Amino acid sequence: MEFDVCYQLDNEQQFWDELDDIVSAQCQTHGFIDDALRSYITFVTSYKGEYLHTEYDIARCSFKLLESALFSTHKDYIRRQIVFSLLEEHSPDTLHLIVALLLFDGRDNEATFEMMNEEGVFPRLIELIQEGKDDDVGLHRMLLELLYEMSRIQRLRVQDLSLALHGIRVHL
């Protein structure tokens, strides 16, 4: 199964049709799932400037994956891959999509926030919020929402709380 495809889109409807095709891939191995996720993220971020102009559009892309058979069949593995991507990614467009996926999935399933807490995502969220407050406003707002939701659902560790308080003092 090959997922590295070059797309030539003429209109927004083709974008949504191609996205549907990507998330409806039948994947039985972790390698194929990884390929499908990479294709999904690359495709969405490649066309973000052209077809995704609002937060609603980002949410719609997120729910395309979250409501897919691919996700429902392999949700634990996909969640973990998305969490790991948050820890490693630096591109604002890719981070925006990853944060949206985690936020919307976590609101429906607290296991997402539990996994994020177990993997030590809190310091990374603080770092991203502090670094990018002047860059992408939509990403910054979504990072704050994700931090809030994660903190509301999961008990923070003392070291995470200390990091957050230090960050607040630095900004004062």
Side-chain angles (χ1 to χ4, degrees), residues 48 55 92 95-96 99 103 125-148 171:
K48 182 180 181 205
E55 290 300 313
L95 281 168
H96 199 162
V99 169
L103 177 63
L125 291 175
I126 296 291
E127 172 190 332
L128 290 169
I129 288 167
Q130 290 173 342
E131 287 176 359
K133 64 182 183 295
D134 298 325
D135 297 334
D136 184 336
V137 174
L139 171 58
H140 189 257
R141 185 187 55 73
M142 203 164 275
L143 282 164
L144 289 170
E145 283 185 63
L146 182 59
L147 182 71
Y148 168 76
H171 286 291

Side-chain angles (χ1 to χ4, degrees), residues 55-72:
E55 290 300 313
Y56 172 77
D57 294 330
I58 297 292
R60 186 174 172 196
C61 284
S62 299
F63 281 103
K64 288 277 188 188
L65 177 63
L66 296 174
E67 294 173 347
S68 71
L70 174 66
F71 186 79
S72 66

Side-chain angles (χ1 to χ4, degrees), residues 113-114 116-118 120-126 146-165 168:
F113 295 138
E114 291 171 15
M116 290 170 62
N117 196 28
E118 290 166 8
V121 168
F122 189 87
R124 175 69 171 150
L125 291 175
I126 296 291
L146 182 59
L147 182 71
Y148 168 76
E149 292 291 340
M150 183 184 166
S151 301
R152 186 176 65 81
I153 301 298
Q154 288 295 299
R155 184 178 182 138
L156 295 177
R157 294 179 286 216
V158 173
Q159 63 267 30
D160 291 341
L161 191 55
S162 297
L163 179 64
L165 292 174
I168 291 169

Side-chain angles (χ1 to χ4, degrees), residues 4-141:
D4 292 331
V5 178
C6 184
Y7 295 95
Q8 181 72 29
L9 304 180
D10 296 321
N11 59 53
E12 187 174 345
Q13 187 56 49
Q14 284 182 336
F15 170 82
W16 294 110
D17 291 344
E18 291 295 333
L19 190 59
D20 283 334
D21 289 346
I22 291 169
V23 299
S24 56
Q26 299 296 314
C27 302
Q28 301 306 319
T29 68
H30 288 171
F32 286 144
I33 296 166
D34 291 342
D35 289 342
L37 284 173
R38 253 188 309 278
S39 292
Y40 167 81
I41 290 170
T42 300
F43 181 75
V44 171
T45 56
S46 294
Y47 290 99
K48 182 180 181 205
E50 196 169 342
Y51 297 117
L52 307 175
H53 304 291
T54 67
E55 290 300 313
Y56 172 77
D57 294 330
I58 297 292
R60 186 174 172 196
C61 284
S62 299
F63 281 103
K64 288 277 188 188
L65 177 63
L66 296 174
E67 294 173 347
S68 71
L70 174 66
F71 186 79
S72 66
T73 304
H74 307 286
K75 61 183 146 220
D76 291 334
Y77 180 76
I78 291 173
R79 268 188 198 113
R80 189 159 306 280
Q81 294 305 98
I82 294 169
V83 167
F84 289 154
S85 294
L86 176 66
L87 292 170
E88 299 172 358
E89 187 57 52
H90 297 284
S91 162
D93 287 343
T94 305
L95 281 168
H96 199 162
L97 181 61
I98 290 168
V99 169
L101 287 164
L102 291 171
L103 177 63
F104 298 132
D105 184 41
R107 285 179 175 164
D108 285 340
N109 187 338
E110 291 181 10
T112 302
F113 295 138
E114 291 171 15
M115 184 182 294
M116 290 170 62
N117 196 28
E118 290 166 8
E119 297 299 334
V121 168
F122 189 87
R124 175 69 171 150
L125 291 175
I126 296 291
E127 172 190 332
L128 290 169
I129 288 167
Q130 290 173 342
E131 287 176 359
K133 64 182 183 295
D134 298 325
D135 297 334
D136 184 336
V137 174
L139 171 58
H140 189 257
R141 185 187 55 73

